[in-house]
Amino acid sequence: DSGVTQTPKHLITATGQRVTLRCSPRSGDLSVYWYQQSLDQGLQFLIQYYNGEERAKGNILERFSAQQFPDLHSELNLSSLELGDSALYFCASSARGDGTNEKLFFGSGTQLSVL
Amino acid sequence: SQQGEEDPQALSIQEGENATMNCSYKTSINNLQWYRQNSGRGLVHLILIRSNEREKHSGRLRVTLDTSKKSSSLLITASRAADTASYFCATDAGYGGSQGNLIFGKGTKLSVKP
């Protein structure tokens, strides 16, 4: 158990809909990272937050947004969903927000299916 | 864009054999990390090797780093069926400084047959 909690584990929705994925980082970790994993694109970095502030942005679509709350949990909002958004979405956390120099702890992911 | 690329894409071996996976990357890095992912589960950190290190060991794992060739290898010795998983290398984005986000390769899928 990594200590990172993601909910829900599975989500099935229709095109055009909006969903929210939730992540609670490991106790004491200040930084949260969101990744999208699909068969064709592999593991893509989406966005990183550190202590409530956006720190780095990757290949995140404009239809997607995220935030980190004062209690450090994070939410990833996906809107106007398309079939191609079907993927496994991972949240990871780290202590200092320096993911290149410290290990990341991953949650078990949210499997999103857009029908 | 991918920074690290693993090779081979898939590897099938018998229990007890050694497994070697390679990773090549494009730009200079601070560190390189290896992660493991069991089917459909979250990634688990295995080892971090710094750019000034050439080799690092952790149990049955041995990682090497050649910054001149921009490559790394992960060796799993005396493999077990439980080692069946996908293995990913991860590096920083190469932008310089500490942006904190890791870029992952597409992974090597290792299958260890009992």
Side-chain angles (χ1 to χ4, degrees), chain A residues 13-19 63 78-83 85 114-115:
Chain A
T13 188
T15 55
Q17 295 298 304
R18 173 190 167 95
V19 297
R63 300 183 285 109
L78 314 176
S79 61
S80 302
L81 285 167
E82 302 174 359
L83 295 177
D85 297 328
V114 182
L115 305 178

Side-chain angles (χ1 to χ4, degrees), chain A residues 33 35 37 40-45 48 55-56 59 88 90 97-108, chain B residues 1-2 30-31 33 35 37 40-43 45 48 50 88 92-93 98-106:
Chain A
Y33 310 73
Y35 284 86
Q37 186 177 38
D40 53 343
Q41 294 292 319
L43 201 62
Q44 297 285 318
F45 168 71
Q48 178 201 1
R55 174 166 279 194
N59 301 321
L88 195 48
F90 285 108
D98 186 8
T100 61
N101 295 310
E102 56 177 351
K103 62 171 94 170
L104 267 56
F105 293 86
F106 280 79
S108 55
Chain B
S1 62
Q2 301 301 129
N30 295 317
N31 306 302
Q33 302 185 39
Y35 285 79
Q37 182 182 32
R41 308 279 300 272
L43 281 75
H45 179 268
L48 181 154
R50 304 195 184 282
F88 297 85
D92 58 29
S98 178
Q99 290 221 344
N101 61 89
L102 282 176
I103 306 297
F104 287 82
K106 290 201 170 183

